[in-house]
Amino acid sequence: MSEPHFAVASTFSPRFEAVIAEADRVARIFGARVSVLHAGARSDDKVTWIRDAFVGLGREEIDIYWCDGDKPATALMDATVSEFFDLLIVGAMPGSNETRNFTGGIVRELFTRTPCDLLLIPNPQDEPIENVTACLLVEAHSPRWRSAIPALRTLNPASISILAADSPFAQARRAFSSSAEQECPLEEMREVLSEITPEIDLRRVQSNTGFILCDIIQDAVPDFIMVESEWKNGQRVLPPYLGWLEQVIPSRLFVFGKSPGEVSHIDSPQAK
């Protein structure tokens, strides 16, 4: 497998160095090279700021892409299409209130249209995380959760919580499914993921809207949330029980699911 190529969107906000530090750590975990995307004109000062930030992290060479476009989101999306990045890392939150981390318009547009996998970071940290925790959001009995296994193995979290949404939509789809082989018993999730860590918390959650999942995650504060998306009519879509993630991001959010025709290289570095 070829070396994954990650990109981090840089905005020179007060969170600039923290976002860069998070991107560097994730790239090292996955054995990926990392480049910078900036939706704006090139300047010597900007080049110096970016290169100095990465030199401080032990990276002497870094590619910088200066993205032109009518809107920042459009410029960044055009770059992800032309350069075939495997993961786009974005500091997702322009502001917050006391209980929720809300996304801005640029992030919401990137969420729906960026063709590669996404890592959205609402509260970037300068220092590395100890004893990483992960939360896998899945639809009860759906096999789609398996796409997150390679990334979970690489992250090697100390604990994994599984929130299995058993909504009326999921129940109806299961009832009308023509193939029983598509079902995935919840205990199978526990068994497979226990090979990564013995600390597995599996919960089936019944909810019409999915916002109860947001409340649970907000209380648990996992370091990473893992979800898989689909593509319809040229846009990334989430199942109904995860629609709230387009507006509220409680923690670092890994969104898997490239646009049709793309192949993800998000995998264990040992598999290269």
Side-chain angles (χ1 to χ4, degrees), residues 166-188:
D166 203 1
S167 65
F169 175 82
Q171 295 170 13
R173 186 160 69 176
R174 182 186 178 200
F176 287 99
S177 174
S178 59
S179 175
E181 295 180 356
Q182 293 300 313
E183 292 189 10
C184 174
L186 296 181
E187 285 305 318
E188 180 185 340

Side-chain angles (χ1 to χ4, degrees), residues 2-252:
S2 61
E3 180 185 39
H5 190 185
F6 294 177
V8 55
S10 171
T11 60
F12 300 109
S13 71
R15 299 168 179 267
F16 163 69
E17 291 187 350
V19 172
I20 295 297
E22 293 257 12
D24 174 72
R25 288 194 293 269
V26 170
R28 291 183 189 278
I29 289 172
F30 285 90
R33 58 183 285 228
V34 61
S35 299
V36 173
L37 303 183
H38 178 67
R42 183 192 185 281
S43 74
D44 291 341
D45 285 342
K46 291 178 181 179
V47 172
T48 299
W49 291 333
I50 293 172
R51 296 202 183 280
D52 285 351
F54 278 98
V55 166
L57 297 170
R59 290 185 185 267
E60 299 293 334
E61 299 293 331
I62 194 74
D63 291 327
I64 306 171
Y65 295 81
W66 308 97
C67 310
D68 296 324
D70 295 335
K71 298 187 298 183
T74 302
L76 294 173
M77 284 185 292
D78 288 346
T80 60
V81 170
S82 62
E83 299 299 328
F84 300 101
F85 295 111
D86 295 292
L87 179 72
L88 176 62
I89 303 168
V90 182
M93 187 186 66
S96 68
N97 68 5
E98 295 180 355
T99 59
R100 308 272 194 207
N101 294 331
F102 289 96
T103 63
I106 293 176
V107 170
R108 285 195 292 272
E109 190 168 356
L110 289 173
F111 187 97
T112 57
R113 297 179 57 196
T114 302
C116 61
D117 296 333
L118 280 172
L119 174 57
L120 305 179
I121 306 176
N123 292 300
Q125 303 295 319
D126 293 297
E127 298 301 322
I129 307 167
E130 296 183 4
N131 299 317
V132 170
T133 59
C135 178
L136 179 62
L137 297 182
V138 299
E139 185 176 272
H141 305 288
S142 169
R144 296 178 62 84
W145 63 277
R146 292 189 178 93
S147 65
I149 293 175
L152 283 169
R153 284 179 177 153
T154 304
L155 285 174
N156 193 28
S159 65
I160 300 174
S161 61
I162 305 168
L163 297 181
D166 203 1
S167 65
F169 175 82
Q171 295 170 13
R173 186 160 69 176
R174 182 186 178 200
F176 287 99
S177 174
S178 59
S179 175
E181 295 180 356
Q182 293 300 313
E183 292 189 10
C184 174
L186 296 181
E187 285 305 318
E188 180 185 340
M189 296 184 196
R190 185 196 300 274
E191 181 179 351
V192 172
L193 296 180
S194 65
E195 297 176 1
I196 300 173
T197 174
E199 297 297 324
I200 303 291
D201 177 29
L202 173 60
R203 301 170 65 177
R204 184 199 299 263
V205 180
Q206 293 186 332
S207 172
N208 292 335
T209 64
F211 269 98
I212 189 174
L213 298 174
C214 180
D215 292 335
I216 293 172
I217 293 172
Q218 195 82 24
D219 291 338
V221 196
D223 296 310
F224 289 92
I225 304 169
M226 323 288 286
V227 303
E228 186 183 13
S229 60
E230 298 179 282
W231 284 81
K232 294 182 180 179
N233 300 321
Q235 289 194 332
R236 185 193 308 274
V237 295
L238 291 172
Y241 72 94
L242 291 180
W244 52 272
L245 280 172
E246 295 183 17
Q247 299 181 1
V248 182
I249 300 180
S251 186
R252 296 172 187 82

